[in-house]
């Protein structure tokens, strides 16, 4: 894989196929939030929206271009059990994925909607709660070798949510399951669409965020040290096209990714001691290369 030239917001090490690496020092935008677990952009708002996960407030935060909090919206009727990802739709509505499930014990997995018009206010009442369950899960918790039902990643596309699971099983082999849930209030049986193999290192390959490009032609998945780009698929057969994996040769707690536009990604990571707590930007053209 050839070395990459990054845009001014990303400072990472990138690994070539030959094993050589090069540090490309650039400016990053520091976040005032310690545990940014998600990132999204909405056509109804000028801000970059982020959220924090379990143990934090039921708020989404609008960041300016420098990564500073410019606006805060408290979702008054939504508890933050474990908010793990954000998604947006064509109208600019924001969806909060409250489906973090580290111990595979939860029976209250859900997605909250925040109306686009409420993004300018300080408080919002979610008009829709989309609850769902995994029909394949029969035990709470299942065996340690079957801890498949955590999730930190989803996106919205043409009336449905697409959720990529975070495998926490003993003997991790990189298996990721893709589920579909309709964008409708109620309690839904998530539909298993297929599986994807990342790699067999949980620390480097557990999937932590996902998004689809505005034109619907590309899907991106994120882990602590890698980005996967899915493209060339037909319709919603997201796993049926071409999969490219790109190494980000620094391992931080990267928790959120989104498309800023069809050719640009935004990434956030959580702060841990002297690492992380940043907003990064990268062009897809800089990622693309042939191995």
């Amino acid at each position: 894989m050839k070395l990459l030239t990054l845009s001014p917001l990303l400072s990472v090490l990138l690994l070539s196929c030959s094993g050589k690496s090069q540090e490309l020092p650039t400016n990053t935008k520091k976040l005032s939030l310690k545990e940014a677990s998600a990132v999204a952009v909405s056509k109804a708002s000028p801000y970059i929206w982020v959220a924090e996960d379990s143990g934090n407030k039921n708020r989404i935060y609008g960041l300016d271009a420098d990564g500073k909090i410019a606006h805060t919206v408290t979702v008054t009727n939504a508890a933050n059990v474990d908010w793990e990802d954000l998604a947006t739709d064509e109208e600019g509505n924001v969806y909060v994925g409250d489906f973090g499930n580290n111990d595979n014990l939860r029976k209250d997995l859900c997605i909250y909607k925040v109306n686009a018009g409420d993004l300018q206010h300080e408080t919002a009442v979610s008009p829709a709660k989309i609850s769902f369950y995994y029909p394949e899960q029969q035990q709470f918790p299942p065996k340690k070798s079957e801890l498949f039902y955590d999730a930190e990643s989803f996106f919205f596309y043409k009336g449905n949510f697409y959720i990529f699971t975070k495998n926490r099983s003993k003997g991790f082999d990189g298996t990721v399951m893709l589920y579909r849930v309709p964008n409708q209030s109620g309690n839904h049986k998530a539909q298993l669409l297929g599986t994807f193999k990342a790699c067999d290192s949980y620390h480097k390959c557990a999937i932590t965020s996902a998004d689809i490009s505005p034109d619907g032609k590309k899907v991106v998945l994120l882990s602590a040290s890698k980005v996967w780009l899915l493209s060339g698929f037909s319709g919603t057969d997201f796993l049926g096209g071409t999969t490219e994996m790109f190494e980000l040769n620094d391992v931080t707690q990267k928790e959120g990714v989104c498309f800023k536009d069809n050719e640009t990604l935004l990434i956030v990571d959580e702060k841990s001691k002297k690492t992380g707590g940043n907003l990064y930007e990268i062009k897809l053209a800089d990622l693309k290369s042939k191995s």
Side-chain angles (χ1 to χ4, degrees), residues 159-288:
N160 293 285
F161 299 105
Y162 294 87
I163 300 169
F164 292 83
T165 60
K166 185 176 184 180
N167 186 343
R168 291 183 176 273
S169 300
K170 182 179 180 180
F172 178 85
D173 66 354
T175 298
V176 180
M177 296 188 291
L178 172 59
Y179 283 91
R180 179 167 58 205
V181 173
N183 183 16
Q184 300 172 2
S185 295
N187 190 26
H188 304 281
K189 179 169 67 174
Q191 181 183 0
L192 179 61
L193 299 180
T195 61
F196 163 75
K197 284 278 190 179
C199 76
D200 59 5
S201 168
Y202 173 82
H203 186 51
K204 295 182 178 180
C205 291
I207 303 301
T208 58
S209 189
D211 198 21
I212 191 168
S213 58
D215 61 10
K217 294 182 178 180
K218 296 178 284 289
V219 168
V220 65
L221 305 177
L222 178 70
S223 75
S225 67
K226 305 177 192 299
V227 168
W228 289 263
L229 187 65
L230 314 181
S231 60
F233 47 79
S234 176
T236 60
D237 182 20
F238 304 118
L239 302 179
T242 299
T243 300
E244 298 171 275
M245 185 184 75
F246 304 98
E247 297 278 357
L248 305 175
N249 193 30
D250 67 333
V251 182
T252 65
Q253 197 168 342
K254 297 180 183 70
E255 292 281 335
V257 66
C258 74
F259 281 92
K260 180 181 178 182
D261 54 46
N262 287 320
E263 301 300 330
T264 312
L265 301 178
L266 298 176
I267 295 173
V268 294
D269 56 8
E270 293 191 9
K271 185 173 179 58
S272 177
K273 296 182 180 179
K274 295 182 179 181
T275 65
N278 297 313
L279 170 68
Y280 311 96
E281 182 173 309
I282 184 170
K283 293 288 186 182
L284 287 181
D286 295 328
L287 280 176
K288 292 178 180 178

Side-chain angles (χ1 to χ4, degrees), residues 130-148:
I130 301 98
S131 299
F132 67 93
Y133 62 95
Y134 304 109
E136 289 76 20
Q137 182 174 5
Q138 301 298 315
Q139 296 178 305
F140 297 83
K143 300 175 182 178
K144 291 183 178 180
S145 60
E146 299 175 359
L147 295 175
F148 299 122

Side-chain angles (χ1 to χ4, degrees), residues 33 49-61 71-83 86 96 98 112-114 121-126:
L33 294 170
W49 291 94
V50 298
E52 295 185 299
D53 54 18
S54 61
N56 290 287
K57 296 180 179 180
N58 52 327
R59 295 174 177 174
I60 57 175
Y61 301 89
H71 186 61
T72 300
V73 179
T74 299
V75 188
T76 58
N77 61 335
N80 185 346
V81 179
D82 196 356
W83 292 7
L86 297 174
V96 181
D98 189 356
Y112 294 105
K113 179 181 181 180
V114 180
H121 301 147
E122 293 183 357
T123 61
V125 175
S126 175

Side-chain angles (χ1 to χ4, degrees), residues 22-95:
Q22 178 179 339
E23 185 173 3
L24 301 174
T26 59
N27 296 322
T28 63
K29 301 299 181 182
K30 300 300 293 185
L31 299 175
S32 56
L33 294 170
K34 182 179 179 181
E35 297 185 7
S37 64
V39 62
V41 293
S42 162
K43 63 171 58 177
S45 168
Y47 302 125
I48 300 166
W49 291 94
V50 298
E52 295 185 299
D53 54 18
S54 61
N56 290 287
K57 296 180 179 180
N58 52 327
R59 295 174 177 174
I60 57 175
Y61 301 89
L63 309 182
D64 62 21
D66 291 324
K68 300 189 180 301
I69 298 174
H71 186 61
T72 300
V73 179
T74 299
V75 188
T76 58
N77 61 335
N80 185 346
V81 179
D82 196 356
W83 292 7
E84 287 291 357
D85 208 1
L86 297 174
T88 58
D89 63 17
E90 297 90 342
E91 287 75 42
N93 301 307
V94 173
Y95 299 90

